[in-house]
């Protein structure tokens, strides 16, 4: 019976740890997929990207105060830092990075509205914007396939330069509406 209490206590502690760790990761807005690993607490303080010697507690990341003025890396989801950047995921269209000064300024700069999270007035129109992009990419892909079927002398490097690479268009055709 004592082991059951210890086991139950371990499960409770583990559950609380996972909840707080997950909350810490998900509260950080404006981080690009390539940089997400930099915003996962490893038990050590957050190190500013522009000056790794400058460290701050994780509680001060995205707190609307610029602790890393060199690059604004501690405030990816606010407009607190002059040099800060905000990543719009824009699912269904294409991700983009905007300057942090555009975050919560009342203007919808991201097609998913993620830059205006405190106001919540932006319509998510990424899927519609992406439809046109995907249509154009599909047409370009068809043109490429037709041109590659024609008699092109591939031994002549001048001809290779005139053909667009197919991989340039493949990534925009993989979006699916959820």
């Amino acid at each position: 019976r004592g082991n059951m209490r210890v086991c139950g206590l371990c499960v409770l502690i583990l559950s609380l740890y996972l909840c707080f760790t997950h909350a810490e990761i998900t509260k950080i807005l404006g981080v690009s997929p390539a940089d997400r690993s930099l915003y996962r607490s490893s038990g050590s303080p957050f190190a500013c990207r522009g000056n790794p010697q400058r460290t701050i507690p994780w509680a001060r990341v995205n707190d609307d105060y610029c602790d890393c003025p060199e690059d604004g890396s501690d405030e990816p989801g606010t407009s607190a830092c002059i040099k800060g950047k905000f990543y719009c995921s824009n699912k269904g269209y294409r991700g983009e990075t905007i300057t942090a000064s555009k975050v919560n300024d009342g203007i919808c700069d991201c097609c998913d509205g993620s830059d205006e999270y405190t106001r919540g007035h932006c319509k998510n129109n990424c899927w519609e914007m992406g439809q046109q992009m995907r249509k154009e990419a599909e047409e370009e892909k068809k043109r490429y396939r037709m041109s590659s079927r024609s008699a092109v002398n591939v031994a002549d490097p001048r001809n290779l330069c005139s053909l667009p690479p197919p991989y340039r268009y493949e990534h925009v055709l993989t979006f699916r509406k959820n």
Side-chain angles (χ1 to χ4, degrees):
R1 199 170 169 164
N3 286 340
M4 290 296 282
R5 285 184 185 170
V6 171
C7 185
L9 183 60
C10 289
V11 169
L12 177 64
I13 291 171
L14 180 62
S15 298
L16 289 172
Y17 171 77
L18 291 174
C19 287
F20 286 114
T21 303
H22 179 70
E24 179 179 27
I25 292 169
T26 57
K27 78 173 185 176
I28 300 177
L29 302 172
V31 178
S32 73
D35 293 339
R36 283 196 185 125
S37 64
L38 302 171
Y39 291 89
R40 289 195 173 97
S41 174
S42 60
S44 56
F46 176 82
C48 299
R49 292 181 69 186
N51 180 3
Q53 290 76 28
R54 184 187 309 254
T55 60
I56 60 171
W58 280 94
R60 289 179 32 197
V61 174
N62 256 10
D63 65 347
D64 211 19
Y65 181 82
C66 190
D67 296 295
C68 302
E70 300 84 3
D71 63 357
S73 57
D74 69 307
E75 297 296 320
T78 75
S79 58
C81 298
I82 293 171
K83 296 182 180 178
K85 302 289 181 198
F86 182 88
Y87 180 78
C88 311
S89 61
N90 294 339
K91 190 175 181 177
Y93 187 50
R94 62 174 171 239
E96 66 178 321
T97 302
I98 60 173
T99 59
S101 62
K102 295 181 176 183
V103 175
N104 292 319
D105 64 351
I107 300 169
C108 305
D109 299 293
C110 303
C111 68
D112 63 1
S114 60
D115 64 311
E116 298 300 319
Y117 60 88
T118 60
R119 300 170 191 257
H121 70 280
C122 299
K123 177 186 175 217
N124 184 341
N125 60 356
C126 291
W127 182 253
E128 291 80 14
M129 291 175 69
Q131 280 182 317
Q132 181 63 30
M133 181 180 66
R134 288 184 293 279
K135 180 182 174 189
E136 291 169 5
E138 186 62 40
E139 290 169 1
E140 185 68 26
K141 192 174 178 182
K142 286 177 187 176
R143 282 194 296 277
Y144 170 75
R145 285 183 187 148
M146 291 181 72
S147 68
S148 65
R149 289 182 194 141
S150 62
V152 175
N153 181 2
V154 292
D156 185 349
R158 292 174 296 179
N159 290 335
L160 292 177
C161 292
S162 66
L163 296 174
Y167 58 84
R168 183 167 70 180
Y169 306 105
E170 292 296 325
H171 73 282
V172 295
L173 299 175
T174 58
F175 289 105
R176 291 187 182 95
K177 188 171 184 176
N178 289 339

